[in-house]
Amino acid sequence: MTGISIAIDGPAGTGKSTVSKEVARRLKLAYFDTGATYRVATLWCMREGVDLAQESDVAALVETMNVSLVLDPRNPRVLLEDEDVSSLIRSDSVALTVSKVATNLEARAALGQWQRDVIAAELEGGYSDGRGVVSEGRDITTVIAPDADVRILMTADEEIRVARRAGEGADLATVREAVLGRDKKDSTVVQFHTAADGVHTLDTSELTIEEAVQAVLDLVAEVR
Ligand code: C5P
């Protein structure tokens, strides 16, 4: 028997990472943040000084990257050449640049293959011992794991997403520009605003984290 595959997509600020991690923790599954693969690839390209406009050079460089992922939902980590870059990949400079790598179709193909391999490994063994994996991103329900057991698109009103990302004291206009600007660039290659056939939509605008976690657990219970 293989493990369960849960795929969760959606734009920034829907609560998708928080909910995915919590669902993985409660079900003792691996947690796979596919956004981290794009972020670490971006950090690697920035460090190596490749011209991000040269798409084939970027894709070739991405293939040489030496990364390992720790899929622990309590403490997910990304190691680049054995250096823990889990915080660095969340920096503004990476966030502002990541769409350049994510919209490079050659680099996307390489990262997508890696993601499929990670998911396949978790369904048979890996960190979760074969219990399975919660994978989150933008195209997991449609391109990377269209055959996942549970597929969910998380959405939320734009202003709510911006406010969640901003937190206290932040300049809303700057955060709005950053969050919605990134969505807009990413949307040129992946569609993550409306659910594909067979994908459940979960609008978290009016939900607490706990309610959103419960809603996902309810959908998992239906297939288990
Ligand atoms: O989810 P997160 O904000 O960390 O994702 C970072 C970036 O990685 C996104 O803005 C997008 O450019 C890219 N991404 C993607 N496809 C995915 C996951 C992330 O293009 N499945």
Side-chain angles (χ1 to χ4, degrees), residues 139-156:
D139 61 352
I140 311 307
T141 62
T142 50
V143 178
I144 302 300
D147 53 354
D149 301 291
V150 180
R151 293 185 298 153
I152 299 167
L153 178 78
M154 287 182 53
T155 62

Side-chain angles (χ1 to χ4, degrees), residues 9-12 16-17 33-39 42 89-90 95 98-103 108 115 136-140 144 165 182-183 185-186 189-190 192:
D9 284 329
K16 128 183 99 86
S17 297
D33 168 14
T34 62
T37 67
Y38 288 95
R39 288 174 180 268
T42 304
I89 60 169
R90 310 267 150 217
V98 65
S99 297
K100 290 197 180 137
V101 174
T103 53
R108 257 197 112 71
Q115 293 161 14
E136 60 130 316
R138 303 285 189 289
D139 61 352
I140 311 307
I144 302 300
R165 268 299 152 103
R182 186 146 63 88
D183 280 354
K185 286 182 212 148
D186 295 338
V189 292
V190 272
F192 52 85

Side-chain angles (χ1 to χ4, degrees), residues 187-201:
S187 309
T188 60
V189 292
V190 272
Q191 194 289 102
F192 52 85
H193 289 290
T194 51
D197 265 3
V199 176
H200 301 276
T201 300

